[in-house]
Amino acid sequence: MQTPISSHNNESTGLVLSACGSESTEAPAAAPPADSMTDTVTDAMTDTMTDAVEDVTEQVGAGMAEATGAVEGIVGEANDAMDVVSEPAEGQPAAGEGDPCSLSIEAGDTIAFSTDAMSVPSSCADVTVTLTHTGTMPKQSMGHNWVLLPETAIQEIGIAAARAGLNNNCVPDDPRIVASTEVVGGGESTSVTFSLDALDDGTTYGFACTFPGHWAVMKGTFTVSG
Ligand code: ZN
């Protein structure tokens, strides 16, 4: 009696197994639609994401174009401002002579310099100042020189310079004088090179022509920037 039962059990187990088997064989059959759905979803997502990325890229691109435009505008304004600032110093943005450590200044047959403000960057190892006499009068009557000195000492040294005489280029022996050129007359040019190390940090410097009587008018500020 037990054997048929067990065989019945076996049969039912076999049926169950076959049922499971048939289900399991259907599963792969259902897989292709799942794959195609996945493909469809993937395609859709890819398309959507690609579009979105393209949109974002376009927006970022437009944003960057605007930002670039804004930066160019600012740079342009800065350059314009620098042009204006540099004009009195003469020469910086002009083609060719772009050395900010080399300054030029002029004086003619009148008691006047071409500028009353000179400036150099602190990064200059050496500074060269060139003075050109654009007039025609001889140095005995309308000589000019360029002297770098503390601004507060211009009057005192200017007065002392009158006694120094033309043979000394109208430069008195004074340790406060940082640099000085010789006296030049009409059509002549001269220059002097000095190190910024010679300038004290806490002192305000200026320049002057120490030809007798000129210092009161022919003077200006000399600043080291940066
Ligand atoms: Zn002078």
Side-chain angles (χ1 to χ4, degrees), residues 111 142-145 209-211 214 218:
I111 302 173
M142 186 54 80
H144 300 299
N145 67 0
C209 169
T210 57
F211 189 88
H214 288 194
M218 294 185 72

